[in-house]
Amino acid sequence: MTGSGRLSDRMAFDAPTATPNGGGGTVQGWAVQHECWAGVTYLRGTEPVIAARLVGVQPVVIRVRNCAAARAIASDWRARDMRTGVIYALAGNAVPTDDRAYLDFMAKIGVTP
């Protein structure tokens, strides 16, 4: 997947937050940190991918343009498709493409971030 024409999904990248609940505890939630166009590639074919899919987890690669905000995305964040509402649990830090124009994030559908 190369070129900006393939970035057809609008993604929000959310960071985990803890908000005081007024009773001395906190409420866990998510706060949008970055929104951008992205491309999602569903992985299939290798033995680990097939095994993950058998237990209801779909591995994907999310590609975004390389920028300072995208480089700040951490592995404990989540990605959210703004059109469909699908939640992606990020499975690692960004990996730049060979030309360094894009960043690839490994993610999984079907697991709680």
Side-chain angles (χ1 to χ4, degrees):
M1 171 175 31
T2 58
S4 62
R6 302 235 188 235
L7 305 181
S8 59
D9 301 302
R10 190 72 180 164
M11 288 285 176
F13 289 89
D14 306 329
T17 61
T19 307
N21 66 3
T26 59
V27 176
Q28 301 298 320
W30 298 95
V32 176
Q33 300 295 313
H34 181 55
E35 292 180 13
C36 64
W37 290 100
V40 178
T41 302
Y42 291 82
L43 302 179
R44 48 187 163 301
T46 66
E47 189 173 335
V49 170
I50 292 170
R53 290 174 62 196
L54 288 174
V55 296
V57 175
Q58 173 62 61
V60 299
V61 174
I62 301 172
R63 178 167 285 181
V64 300
R65 283 190 184 91
N66 191 348
C67 67
R71 288 190 300 273
I73 296 169
S75 61
D76 63 339
W77 292 20
R78 71 179 188 180
R80 181 173 36 88
D81 188 311
M82 295 175 67
R83 182 178 51 87
T84 65
V86 173
I87 303 291
Y88 302 87
L90 298 183
N93 291 322
V95 176
T97 57
D98 290 339
D99 62 3
R100 300 202 178 278
Y102 300 94
L103 297 173
D104 288 339
F105 294 92
M106 289 294 298
K108 295 177 182 178
I109 302 170
V111 296
T112 304

